[in-house]
Amino acid sequence: MAGQDYDWASLGIDVTKPSIARAYDVVLNGKDNFDVDRAFVGEITKVVPEIYDVAAYNREILGRGVRYLANEAGIDQFLDLGSGLPTVQNTHQVAQSVNPEAQVVYVDNDPIVLAHGRALLAENDRTTVITADVREPESILADADVRRLIDLDRPVAVMLVGILHHLHDDERPQHVVDTLMDAVPSGSHLFVTHFCASSPEAVAAEKKYLALLGTGRFRTPEEITAYFEGMELLEPGVVPLPLWRPDSEVPAELTVGHRLMYGGIARKP
């Protein structure tokens, strides 16, 4: 990002510590990041050299999942929590390519996301971005912009793509899921992707994340699947990201990177 001597602190942006949104921007080959974010990603690549590929897998499943939700499931409201910085295949672009009437609200706690997101969406009155903390789902549901675009009496796609693993166990990620899904009606869908403790390299990556970023829990497939309890889990279930309804051939033998994140979608009965 140009101008690192700019007074970013006045905008609430700390350039001395890596941020989740900016680190994700690094691995997506974006430009909205700082030296500290790139240094953090450099440390992660020492234990998971495929981390840039993993980010691509996460972005690809987002596209496949949103297309399914907008097309086959008929969802036209999307609440995308922990959305990160605008990049390619954003939720609103995918959803509105299927249904131009689709409404999308992005939620992130990083002020840089608000600044860039609002600039990108200035001329899209069916999409907005708010600054809020996913750990406070009640306040998100009560937000005026959320209420303006999301009708909680009609089915909603609740998207927690690549965010629940940034909540520590004592920050009650299950409570976040339950609160959000309790607020939406039957026919709504939950879409989750999550770091998975699927290999020794994944366990080593978790230690790096926790030491350098302060967040990043790599949970087991069983723990990730538990988020969908009480819902109708869609085929093929909770699986490594490339295996969720792939639109291209997937290698017979999955690498560490292929298995670093698991994901799935479920319908609220």
Side-chain angles (χ1 to χ4, degrees), residues 48-92:
V48 182
E50 298 171 81
I51 195 65
Y52 284 79
D53 294 330
V54 175
Y57 303 147
N58 195 50
R59 209 66 193 173
E60 288 162 4
I61 192 179
L62 183 145
R64 297 195 303 276
V66 171
R67 275 191 294 275
Y68 166 82
L69 292 165
N71 190 6
E72 296 179 51
I75 302 291
D76 62 1
Q77 305 186 101
F78 296 80
L79 185 59
D80 187 347
L81 299 110
S83 54
L85 283 153
T87 178
V88 295
Q89 275 207 112
N90 297 293
T91 297
H92 74 283

